[in-house]
Amino acid sequence: MTTAICSYENIRQITSCTVCNRTFKDPRILPCGHTFCIDCIRNIMLDTTIMACPNCLAKHTIVNVDLLSQNVALMQLLHIRKIDIVQNKQCAICNVQPSITSCAHCSRQACVSCLEVHRQEVISDITRETMEIERMSDELKLALNQTSNDFRDQCDETFQQANKRFDEMQKNLKLLNERLCQKIQEFHDRRQADLARCVARLHTEIQSIDKFVGDSKHLLVDVNVQTEVLLRLKQQFQEPRKRLPILSRDLIESTPTIQFVSSSFQMLNEELAGTLVLDKPIHGNISPNGTSASGDHDSRLAALASGSRTGKMEIIGQEGCGKLEFKSPAGMTINSDGHLVIAEIDNNRLQILTREFTHIRTIIGFREPRDVSFTKDKRYLITDNHKLIILDEEFHKVEVIGSNKSGKGRNMFNNPTGITIDEDDDDIIICDTNNDRLVLISRDFKWIRDINTGIDTSPRYVCLRQNIIYVTSGTKACVLIFNKNTDQQINTIPELTLGLSIDAPRSIRYVRDLLFVTSSLSKSIFVFTIDGEYRGELRHELFARPIGILFIDDSLYVTDSDKHALFHFSGVLQ
């Protein structure tokens, strides 16, 4: 910083108008170069357009005084130095010299000498901040190296413990031993890669901070640097001071841990894992031996007929709010990356998992997300509270239809639940449960119309096939069928004459000309043909309150809101 050494009277003369002898107010420059207050110019001119300069007597023709150029340099001098000629304030530091300007840091009036002393104090503060940041940076570098080495040693120790335990097991556990070792290796490779990316990111952050510190040191030795620059530099040091503890916390949270506990592993063989079976149909036009009225058993469910077992069964998660933990999981979908996206009502979030059940990401900020769908345009649709939320592929908000208050009008919802998408025209169909209607929205999220499902029908979840809408009714214990083109109800599944009901129907899916409907009270999944022919119920001994279902290839995924878990069955469909 440099400060011109000048007397108080010199500055007063520079900043005073020679006409009114007062501090300039809105100084304007005449063509001859002399400067006067705009009001002084007006008083001299009166009603004429000819003015003689009071200093050099040069005559000027001025049509409009407001068009004269403002003396910007003089205005800046008045503003920066804040000279107060009338009050003639003294330096607030030494109380001897008249004040020339005010300190930008503490706003006190100061003379030139005291301002330089104060500048040195600011430099000392910044120097201390620099040394503190260098110390914190060095500690973080050491922690990075130590963490990587500790994790490598921990993985080696884990492998030793696992192999020692497996050697003690019976020969019939050899297959499980190989499977667990493979899982641990995959975990190690995956998390080691994650840790390497985290370390690289933190190194980049540290290099950026080191560069900032180096630039700061260079400024401190520059005698010409302005005080305002130093003060801004001091403020900028707050960011790395806040950032370094955050980086340390990120390192701790990103550091993977692994532990082998023998009692935590279950044998996932057929005897202990349970089975998913198709109960033989006993209702309607289905004979007791499990064949349809036509005499042909449904070959699509042959793998489940007569209690035969599926290829593999897994139960993922437990009650909680951490990774791979759930609270009232409900609807789910699959995104363009092939990852599972699960809505959790009581955790107020979405959880994204791979199909191998590795946690990818958690999206928070919802109230009661009940269903989620993924469009061809890579948009996530979530029914939440009394609104439909649309997010892009990176989970940034695109649009919100509705609000936190319920309503029955256009662009309003009352506890919406299920979502489906028409693959032909990309229309979105939403179950507006407490309004007893279906809402149709275009692909650009414009309200089209609503379909009345009937009084006290409480539509829950919905699917679509060739302009025929299938919607589960929470109060009618059945599936309502509507024609999308005419908005008219066609029929119900099951028909009332069959004497069959679906207790508390929830999610519905159409797969390979079959309809699958979860029944939360029956603890099963009802199976019907597209014509409404009852084919039986998928049951599992561990089902408590199944809600959401999703088919991917030959695998079936089921969310259970009472078990707070996700069931996975492979080989369900052939």
Side-chain angles (χ1 to χ4, degrees), residues 434-538:
N434 290 352
N435 279 332
D436 295 324
R437 66 180 181 179
L438 302 176
V439 174
L440 274 69
I441 295 176
S442 65
R443 64 180 296 176
D444 56 350
F445 314 118
K446 303 298 182 183
W447 190 281
I448 300 176
R449 68 181 188 278
D450 54 77
I451 301 175
N452 186 7
T453 58
I455 300 175
D456 295 331
T457 50
S458 297
R460 295 288 183 155
Y461 289 84
V462 60
C463 70
L464 182 72
R465 174 185 178 270
Q466 297 179 356
N467 286 323
I468 302 299
I469 302 174
Y470 300 86
V471 54
T472 56
S473 171
T475 56
K476 301 299 182 181
C478 66
V479 176
L480 306 176
I481 307 175
F482 292 85
N483 187 310
K484 183 188 174 188
N485 295 328
T486 64
D487 297 351
Q488 297 298 314
Q489 183 175 343
I490 302 173
N491 204 345
T492 64
I493 294 178
E495 294 183 6
L496 299 178
T497 57
L498 295 180
L500 174 67
S501 63
I502 309 172
D503 294 330
R506 292 297 182 261
S507 185
I508 181 170
R509 295 284 183 180
Y510 166 72
V511 182
R512 301 184 189 179
D513 293 329
L514 293 174
L515 288 174
F516 294 81
V517 184
T518 57
S519 173
S520 59
L521 292 184
S522 297
K523 303 179 182 180
S524 63
I525 303 172
F526 281 71
V527 184
F528 298 92
T529 66
I530 204 66
D531 298 324
E533 185 179 350
Y534 174 72
R535 288 306 176 98
E537 299 172 40
L538 297 177

Side-chain angles (χ1 to χ4, degrees), residues 140-333:
L140 184 58
K141 292 175 184 176
L142 293 175
L144 284 172
N145 296 330
Q146 186 63 36
T147 299
S148 181
N149 294 333
D150 290 346
F151 177 63
R152 189 182 300 108
D153 295 339
Q154 189 181 26
C155 285
D156 293 339
E157 182 179 357
T158 299
F159 276 120
Q160 294 175 3
Q161 293 176 355
N163 288 325
K164 180 179 179 179
R165 173 60 178 167
F166 291 148
D167 292 338
E168 298 172 354
M169 298 175 73
Q170 300 291 335
K171 290 183 179 180
N172 61 347
L173 295 179
K174 181 178 179 180
L175 183 60
L176 180 60
N177 178 17
E178 295 174 354
R179 179 175 178 272
L180 289 175
C181 286
Q182 181 182 1
K183 289 288 185 181
I184 294 175
Q185 184 63 53
E186 292 174 355
F187 174 85
H188 169 267
D189 295 341
R190 186 166 57 250
R191 296 309 299 274
Q192 184 69 35
D194 293 343
L195 181 62
R197 286 192 293 270
C198 175
V199 170
R201 181 176 65 85
L202 294 180
H203 273 305
T204 301
E205 295 271 7
I206 291 175
Q207 290 174 1
S208 176
I209 293 175
D210 288 344
K211 184 178 182 303
F212 175 73
V213 171
D215 294 342
S216 301
K217 290 181 177 179
H218 178 73
L219 288 175
L220 292 178
V221 299
D222 186 358
V223 296
N224 294 321
V225 66
Q226 296 293 323
T227 300
E228 289 80 7
V229 176
L230 292 174
L231 293 174
R232 287 197 301 269
L233 181 63
K234 182 178 179 181
Q235 292 296 325
Q236 291 172 0
F237 268 91
Q238 300 302 318
E239 179 61 24
R241 281 184 63 84
K242 297 177 181 177
R243 186 63 182 153
L244 284 170
I246 294 175
L247 294 177
S248 299
R249 186 175 67 251
D250 288 348
L251 174 64
I252 295 173
E253 293 177 353
S254 301
T255 302
T257 58
I258 182 172
Q259 183 179 8
F260 179 82
V261 181
S262 60
S263 60
S264 66
F265 291 93
Q266 296 181 355
M267 294 177 59
L268 298 181
N269 56 24
E270 293 180 344
E271 285 70 30
L272 295 184
T275 59
L276 179 69
V277 298
L278 177 68
D279 278 1
K280 295 181 179 180
I282 58 176
H283 296 281
N285 297 325
I286 306 301
S287 62
N289 61 5
T291 60
S292 65
S294 61
D296 296 326
H297 190 82
D298 197 334
S299 60
R300 290 161 293 188
L301 296 171
L304 298 174
S306 302
S308 61
R309 304 177 187 277
T310 58
K312 183 177 68 171
M313 177 270 186
E314 295 174 290
I315 302 177
I316 297 89
Q318 59 184 357
E319 184 175 5
C321 55
K323 297 178 181 179
L324 296 178
E325 294 180 338
F326 304 97
K327 277 189 178 180
S328 299
M332 55 184 162
T333 189

Side-chain angles (χ1 to χ4, degrees), residues 384-387 400-406 411-413:
D384 180 37
N385 195 241
H386 303 300
K387 55 186 177 289
V400 176
I401 302 176
S403 65
N404 291 327
K405 294 183 179 180
S406 62
N411 293 321
M412 302 176 73
F413 295 100

